Amino acid sequence: IARRQRQMCIRDSFKNIRKQCGLSQQEVADKLQIKQSSVSDWENDVSRPDYEKLIALAELYDVTLYELLGID
């Protein structure tokens, strides 16, 4: 997959999984003790979460890291 397509998959995966869990960006931010703007930045491909936050997101959403990153 081209780099741009891979980035779109990750961005879309973050947003889709969050919505499937019925959580707002603010609720995710509160649970991870971060700013809502960070969650927005991840979903809009402005920045990427660090490893610790990726693991926390996967645990919060009850998905694997592969699922979170949109990897089949």
Side-chain angles (χ1 to χ4, degrees):
I1 296 177
R3 187 182 197 299
R4 185 146 175 79
Q5 286 177 312
R6 198 168 41 243
Q7 288 174 333
M8 288 176 59
C9 289
I10 293 170
R11 175 189 69 208
D12 294 343
S13 179
F14 282 177
K15 187 179 291 185
N16 291 339
I17 292 173
R18 175 181 58 78
K19 287 184 175 187
Q20 287 173 4
C21 290
L23 296 170
S24 68
Q25 289 182 346
Q26 187 61 58
E27 289 171 318
V28 172
D30 291 345
K31 291 178 185 296
L32 298 183
Q33 299 180 338
I34 58 173
K35 295 180 182 178
Q36 179 272 330
S37 60
S38 294
V39 179
S40 177
D41 287 350
W42 300 340
E43 292 183 359
N44 289 297
D45 204 28
V46 174
S47 66
R48 292 276 181 253
D50 59 28
Y51 293 115
E52 290 82 8
K53 294 295 186 254
L54 277 174
I55 293 167
L57 280 171
E59 290 175 349
L60 175 63
Y61 298 153
D62 194 28
V63 297
T64 66
L65 286 174
Y66 287 114
E67 291 168 318
L68 184 62
L69 297 173
I71 299 170
D72 294 320

